[in-house]
């Protein structure tokens, strides 16, 4: 820290109690200054020789025949007045970054100009500020922090503006020219912590990180921090991602619990102002701030009830880069009073913002550069949509554990991303299965509605193995899974891509490939939506095995006609079995929903984790045999 010593005489100021200061000399004091609650017993001559204001006050006091002079509004209070008084006596005074602004403001108040006496206090302080303080990185920050208690004096004397310019200039300088000390504990360089494998014990120049200044500015109060960051932005030399890193570091240090995605109890008004300021300072460039940080900021804004305008703009920024988020980032707690655990409406709004940004990106492409730009954005857009769909699937699986989550919220969010390109529906299947497990009391129509979201053709082999034994799924879904899996196996054996379903098999699938609500003419709605029993699944799989055998023989003989005939025959057998089952159900008095509803208490295994061995050993709720 820089400092300057003024005067050469020994300090002879004495203290008596807490409220009296006097000069220990042989000459009796002849004037008393009441500064705040402190009395200063001093001599007129040394003070009047350097202060024009005291000259005027003493002259006015002499007319009143009083030896006491009140000075209640001097900036810096008794401490700053004492520095000025010691300077007038020629006593030793040490100025540093912590007291120099108070001394400067008090000297201005006392009018200690060069016109009163050469080499006066104001001149000496200005030299110290310009030659030492403003050239020092950390001293400039300390001085700026002290100006808050000395407003408006420090503002009018340009101390604040000089500090801002000094700090912003140093933060914007090329890192190769940084030669002063700074704080950098967040990501120490390998050579700084002794882990550099190429370090040979010799001292060598350190590479300065781009965000070297971030931590030191975290010491500033939010209003000063806002002005510093704004000044740095105006110089246009610091990249937006560094600005974003600075805001992230400031939030982590100033908002308790922010790193964990929550805000601890405290001064709500103070924290609200801080969050709104950080949102206002966010760079406009897309991707300059991590999406995870933006979502933490949104959680804080919701909890602290920040302004609607700021929250809307923040959600727009999140929507622009939602593909960077994780399911954990999106788990925003619902406001107090809500029956649900998580705020699903806000997440749905974020996905809608993402979709709007994608659509605007296309509409903004001009016709003249359509050929050059249309392909790249589309590829990028599709990749982003795939990521967002995957994140939403994971999010749905998490919120499905909430027993109070309405089906409408689950379905509405899933339907928004249903148009996004996805190679696999395993994640969506896991979310649907989790919802069915946690909400066993939903109606038949609700069960059908949620299963309609899933495309059975996009389930992996592992997911299909789990689905065909899943007693929470309607019968129609199990049938579709079995058929599509067989079609895929047949196509794979033939070396072709997945073919269109033959008419004979398509007729067995109610309403098409996505589990439409329309039923076929040969099957009743109740039976398609009923829960399959172990015997049902075993019969279906036996017929599928027959179909596989017939398909394999046709491939071996190279006879496509035989393959089609086998397909038709087996499809007819399958239809017969299903119809027999339907009439049997109609004659029986069993529950339409299946009297063997799920009683599994363990978590549904993720589709990717179910193995063939596990499938063979899965017990039936009604002492069923293995369904492999």
């Amino acid at each position: 820290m820089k400092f300057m010593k003024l005067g050469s005489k020994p300090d002879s100021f004495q203290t008596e109690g807490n409220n009296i200061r006097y000069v220990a000399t042989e000459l009796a004091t002849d004037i008393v200054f009441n500064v705040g609650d402190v009395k200063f017993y001093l001599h007129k001559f040394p003070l009047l020789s350097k202060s024009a204001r005291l000259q005027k006050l003493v002259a006015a006091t002499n007319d009143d025949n009083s030896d006491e002079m009140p000075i209640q509004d001097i900036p810096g209070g008794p401490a700053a007045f004492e520095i000025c008084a010691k300077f007038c006596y020629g006593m030793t005074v040490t100025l540093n970054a912590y007291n120099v602004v108070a001394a400067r403001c008090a000297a201005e108040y006392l009018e200690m100009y060069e016109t009163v006496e050469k080499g006066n206090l104001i001149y000496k302080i200005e030299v110290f500020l310009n030659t030492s303080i403003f050239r020092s990185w950390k001293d400039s920050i300390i001085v700026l922090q002290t100006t808050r208690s000395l407003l408006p004096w420090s503002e009018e004397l340009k101390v604040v503006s000089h500090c801002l310019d000094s700090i912003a200039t140093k933060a914007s300088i090329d890192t190769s020219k940084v030669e002063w000390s700074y704080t950098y504990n967040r990501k120490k360089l390998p050579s700084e912590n002794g882990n550099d494998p190429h370090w040979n014990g010799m001292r060598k120049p350190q590479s300065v990180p781009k965000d070297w200044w971030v931590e030191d500015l975290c010491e500033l109060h939010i209003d000063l921090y806002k002005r510093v960051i704004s000044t740095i932005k105006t110089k246009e030399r610091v990249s937006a991602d560094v600005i974003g890193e600075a805001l992230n570091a400031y939030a982590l240090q100033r908002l308790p619990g922010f790193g964990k995605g929550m805000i601890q109890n405290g001064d709500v008004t103070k924290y609200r102002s801080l969050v709104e300021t950080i949102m206002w300072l966010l760079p406009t460039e897309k991707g300059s701030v991590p999406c995870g940080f933006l979502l933490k900021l949104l959680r804080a804004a919701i909890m602290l009830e920040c302004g609607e305008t700021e929250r809307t703009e923040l959600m727009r920024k999140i929507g622009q880069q939602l593909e960077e988020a994780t399911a954990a980032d999106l788990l925003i707690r619902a406001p107090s009073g809500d029956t649900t655990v998580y705020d699903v409406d806000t997440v749905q709004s974020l996905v809608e913002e993402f979709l709007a940004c994608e659509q605007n990106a296309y509409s903004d492409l001009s016709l003249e550069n359509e050929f050059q730009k249309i392909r790249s954005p589309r590829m990028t857009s599709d990749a982003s949509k795939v990521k967002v769909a995957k994140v939403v699937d994971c999010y749905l699986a998490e919120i499905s554990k909430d027993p109070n989550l309405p089906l409408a919220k689950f379905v509405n969010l899933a339907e928004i991303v249903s148009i996004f390109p996805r190679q696999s529906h395993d994640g969506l299947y896991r979310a649907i299965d989790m919802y069915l497990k946690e909400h066993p009391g939903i109606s038949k129509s609700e069960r059908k509605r949620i299963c309609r979201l899933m495309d059975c053709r996009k389930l992996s082999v592992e997911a299909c193995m789990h689905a065909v034994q899943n007693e929470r799924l309607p019968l129609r879904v199990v049938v579709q899974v079995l058929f599509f899996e067989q079609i895929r196996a047949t196509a794979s054996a033939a070396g072709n891509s997945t073919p269109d379903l033959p008419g004979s098999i398509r007729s067995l699938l109610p309403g098409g490939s996505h589990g439409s609500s329309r039923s076929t003419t040969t099957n009743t709605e109740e039976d398609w939506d009923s829960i399959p029993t172990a015997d049902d699944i075993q019969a279906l799989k036996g017929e599928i095995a027959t179909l596989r055998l017939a398909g394999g023989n046709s491939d071996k003989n190279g006879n496509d006609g035989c393959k089609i005939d086998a397909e038709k025959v087996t499809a007819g057998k399958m239809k017969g079995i299903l119809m027999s089952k339907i009439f049997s159900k109609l004659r029986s008095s069993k529950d339409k929903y299946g009297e063997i509803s799920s009683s599994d208490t363990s978590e549904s295994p993720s589709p990717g984790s179910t193995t063939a061995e596990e499938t063979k050993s899965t017990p039936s709720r009604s002492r069923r045999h293995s369904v492999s």
Side-chain angles (χ1 to χ4, degrees):
M1 179 184 295
K2 304 291 184 180
F3 65 92
M4 180 177 70
K5 282 190 175 183
L6 300 175
S8 57
K9 296 180 180 178
D11 185 355
S12 57
F13 263 66
Q14 302 292 320
T15 301
E16 185 176 308
N18 295 324
N19 301 321
I20 295 178
R21 304 283 191 276
Y22 63 94
V23 180
T25 62
E26 295 179 356
L27 296 175
T29 58
D30 53 7
I31 192 168
V32 179
F33 293 98
N34 295 322
V35 183
D37 58 350
V38 179
K39 290 180 178 292
F40 288 88
Y41 292 84
L42 305 174
H43 303 86
K44 292 181 181 179
F45 176 74
L47 298 175
L48 303 186
S49 63
K50 291 181 172 59
S51 171
R53 187 182 186 96
L54 291 182
Q55 292 175 10
K56 300 171 189 175
L57 290 175
V58 169
T61 304
N62 289 338
D63 295 339
D64 297 337
N65 296 322
S66 174
D67 291 334
E68 291 199 12
M69 187 178 304
I71 303 178
Q72 300 298 328
D73 55 348
I74 184 171
F81 178 82
E82 185 171 332
I83 291 175
C84 295
K86 287 180 178 179
F87 174 79
C88 294
Y89 278 96
M91 298 177 188
T92 301
V93 178
T94 302
L95 296 178
N96 54 45
Y98 291 100
N99 63 14
V100 66
V101 178
R104 174 65 183 88
C105 295
E108 185 71 24
Y109 175 90
L110 295 174
E111 301 176 10
M112 302 176 74
Y113 305 129
E114 288 294 283
T115 54
V116 179
E117 183 177 87
K118 289 292 181 181
N120 213 338
L121 184 56
I122 290 178
Y123 169 77
K124 290 185 180 296
I125 292 178
E126 286 293 332
V127 170
F128 177 54
L129 288 172
N130 294 319
T131 60
S132 297
I133 295 295
F134 295 146
R135 293 186 180 185
S136 169
W137 165 250
K138 290 192 174 181
D139 285 349
S140 296
I141 296 173
I142 294 171
V143 166
L144 180 61
Q145 189 78 309
T146 63
T147 60
R148 289 191 68 247
S149 60
L150 295 163
L151 295 172
W153 286 89
S154 57
E155 195 79 66
E156 295 172 356
L157 296 175
K158 308 296 183 185
V159 177
V160 176
S161 60
H162 284 144
C163 284
L164 293 173
D165 185 69
S166 172
I167 295 170
T169 299
K170 289 178 175 61
S172 305
I173 200 172
D174 190 291
T175 54
S176 62
K177 298 179 180 179
V178 176
E179 299 176 347
W180 48 83
S181 63
Y182 55 86
T183 305
Y184 198 77
N185 293 324
R186 294 170 302 115
K187 302 172 185 175
K188 271 192 174 294
L189 300 173
S191 54
E192 290 178 328
N193 56 28
N195 295 331
D196 190 350
H198 302 292
W199 188 67
N200 57 6
M202 299 293 292
R203 185 175 181 82
K204 59 181 179 180
Q206 306 290 341
S207 58
V208 178
K210 292 187 299 182
D211 57 345
W212 61 268
W213 49 271
V214 166
E215 277 189 87
D216 288 323
L217 295 190
C218 290
E219 302 300 324
L220 293 173
H221 190 271
I222 184 60
D223 55 349
L224 294 174
Y225 185 82
K226 177 182 179 180
R227 296 182 66 177
V228 169
I229 297 297
S230 299
T231 307
I232 292 175
K233 283 184 174 182
T234 59
K235 293 189 178 293
E236 298 182 348
R237 296 176 187 171
V238 177
S239 61
D241 61 316
V242 176
I243 298 293
E245 179 62 28
L247 297 175
N248 190 4
Y250 191 83
L252 286 171
Q253 184 160 327
R254 290 284 178 164
L255 289 171
F258 184 81
K260 298 180 181 179
M262 56 182 291
I263 303 297
Q264 298 175 3
N265 295 331
D267 189 338
V268 174
T269 303
K270 170 187 171 183
Y271 291 155
R272 182 187 299 122
S273 173
L274 194 151
V275 169
E276 289 179 347
T277 300
I278 292 177
M279 289 193 291
W280 185 84
L281 290 171
L282 288 171
T284 57
E285 293 84 351
K286 177 183 176 181
S288 57
V289 181
C291 189
F293 167 60
L294 294 178
L295 283 164
K296 289 178 183 177
L297 207 57
L298 179 61
R299 291 184 193 180
I302 293 173
M303 176 184 173
L304 298 170
E305 299 180 350
C306 294
E308 190 66 29
T309 303
E310 291 84 356
R311 287 166 58 179
T312 301
E313 178 62 20
L314 180 59
M315 292 179 68
R316 187 188 67 81
K317 290 179 182 292
I318 296 173
Q320 290 179 340
Q321 54 193 91
L322 188 61
E323 68 274 12
E324 302 173 12
T326 65
D329 293 332
L330 296 176
L331 293 177
I332 302 171
R333 287 281 175 177
S336 58
D338 279 20
T339 57
T340 58
V341 177
Y342 298 109
D343 189 349
V344 184
D345 294 335
T346 295
V347 174
Q348 181 171 328
S349 299
L350 293 175
V351 178
E352 291 170 349
E353 284 286 348
F354 168 79
L355 195 57
C357 291
E358 292 292 317
Q359 293 171 348
N360 292 338
Y362 285 123
S363 62
D364 290 343
L365 293 175
S366 57
L367 292 176
E368 51 267 25
N369 60 7
E370 184 178 5
F371 259 106
Q372 291 77 11
K373 292 188 177 180
I374 194 66
R375 288 196 177 99
S376 175
R378 177 168 294 160
M379 291 176 63
T380 303
S381 173
D382 286 348
S384 298
K385 288 179 179 178
V386 169
K387 292 179 181 178
V388 170
K390 184 176 181 180
V391 169
V392 171
D393 288 347
C394 294
Y395 175 76
L396 289 171
E398 290 297 323
I399 64 174
S400 294
K401 301 172 185 178
D402 178 7
N404 295 323
L405 178 68
L407 178 70
K409 290 194 175 186
F410 183 101
V411 173
N412 291 342
L413 180 56
E415 285 180 341
I416 295 177
V417 297
S418 62
I419 60 173
F420 291 2
R422 279 186 284 192
Q423 295 297 319
S424 171
H425 273 206
D426 284 11
L428 182 57
Y429 166 67
R430 178 174 177 268
I432 291 173
D433 185 46
M434 183 66 69
Y435 191 90
L436 293 176
K437 180 180 184 302
E438 297 295 335
H439 302 78
I442 64 174
S443 66
K444 177 177 61 179
S445 60
E446 289 175 326
R447 188 187 307 113
K448 180 173 61 176
R449 182 184 179 190
I450 193 172
C451 288
R452 191 184 303 148
L453 298 166
M454 179 176 57
D455 186 350
C456 297
R457 292 175 298 183
K458 293 187 177 181
L459 295 180
S460 67
V461 175
E462 292 81 2
C464 288
M465 292 170 62
H466 185 273
V468 295
Q469 298 179 89
N470 191 342
E471 297 168 353
R472 289 183 282 271
L473 297 177
L475 179 62
R476 69 165 68 214
V477 178
V478 177
V479 171
Q480 290 182 59
V481 170
L482 287 168
F483 269 112
F484 287 131
E485 181 58 25
Q486 176 56 33
I487 292 300
R488 178 164 53 188
T490 304
S492 176
N496 299 325
S497 60
T498 303
D500 291 334
L501 289 174
S504 59
I505 295 180
R506 190 184 300 114
S507 67
L508 292 175
L509 302 180
S513 61
H514 291 274
S516 171
S517 60
R518 295 175 300 167
S519 64
T520 62
T521 58
T522 58
N523 300 297
T524 63
E525 195 76 13
E526 290 83 353
D527 286 288
W528 279 123
D529 295 324
S530 64
I531 298 174
T533 66
D535 292 338
D536 299 335
I537 295 173
Q538 192 68 29
L540 290 173
K541 293 200 71 178
E543 291 302 318
I544 288 297
T546 304
L547 180 59
R548 182 182 293 111
L549 179 61
N553 291 335
S554 67
D555 290 340
K556 186 184 301 183
N557 299 329
N559 190 337
D560 291 338
C562 291
K563 181 172 113 176
I564 295 173
D565 290 341
E567 226 173 41
K568 290 181 178 179
V569 170
T570 309
K573 290 182 178 180
M574 182 68 71
K575 183 183 290 187
I577 290 176
L578 292 175
M579 290 301 297
S580 175
K581 174 188 181 315
I582 291 170
F583 289 125
S584 174
K585 280 181 173 286
L586 290 175
R587 286 193 300 267
S588 69
S589 59
K590 292 181 180 179
D591 185 1
K592 289 181 179 181
Y593 296 96
E595 61 185 0
I596 43 175
S597 59
S598 175
S599 61
D600 296 337
T601 57
S602 59
E603 286 290 325
S604 298
S606 62
S609 65
T610 306
T611 63
E613 189 64 27
E614 289 170 339
T615 303
K616 292 179 181 179
S617 61
T618 302
S620 168
R621 291 167 301 119
S622 55
R623 303 179 63 86
R624 68 182 180 186
H625 299 291
S626 63
V627 202
S628 56

